Amino acid sequence: MRKGLHPDYGPVVFRDRAANYAFLTRSTMTSEKTIEWEDGNTYPVVDVEISDVSHPFYTGTARVLDTAGRVERFERRYGKKG
């Protein structure tokens, strides 16, 4: 890789405020805000709206739509082909 072309890649804390959950990883994202992590070091922190801890798909609270009922209603309204 050429110098000065790519952004810096370093440790960053991503924090899901809705679930009160944070994790340390490496990323090119940066932030003005910092946080002191469990290891005693200070890292930039990026607040996110949703993570795997609070997303309905991963938590098992996702709702399944009644697609069969919608198809039947469409066929009643517009007629069945064939």
Side-chain angles (χ1 to χ4, degrees):
M1 292 191 295
R2 290 188 289 180
K3 297 283 184 191
L5 181 64
H6 300 284
D8 291 332
Y9 183 71
V12 176
V13 174
F14 286 92
R15 179 172 54 188
D16 181 356
R17 291 188 151 263
N20 196 22
Y21 175 72
F23 59 94
L24 177 65
T25 188
R26 294 179 54 89
S27 176
T28 58
M29 291 189 71
T30 59
S31 175
E32 298 292 324
K33 294 188 269 182
T34 59
I35 189 172
E36 186 173 333
W37 194 242
E38 299 159 353
D39 61 3
N41 294 329
T42 302
Y43 299 106
V45 63
V46 176
D47 290 325
V48 293
E49 295 288 325
I50 198 162
S51 70
D52 62 328
V53 175
S54 61
H55 193 280
F57 178 78
Y58 295 107
T59 59
T61 59
R63 293 181 287 153
V64 178
L65 295 176
D66 179 21
T67 56
R70 289 182 176 197
V71 171
E72 291 168 358
R73 187 172 49 203
F74 178 84
E75 289 174 349
R76 276 197 317 267
R77 187 178 293 165
Y78 298 107
K80 208 174 188 178
K81 282 194 172 187

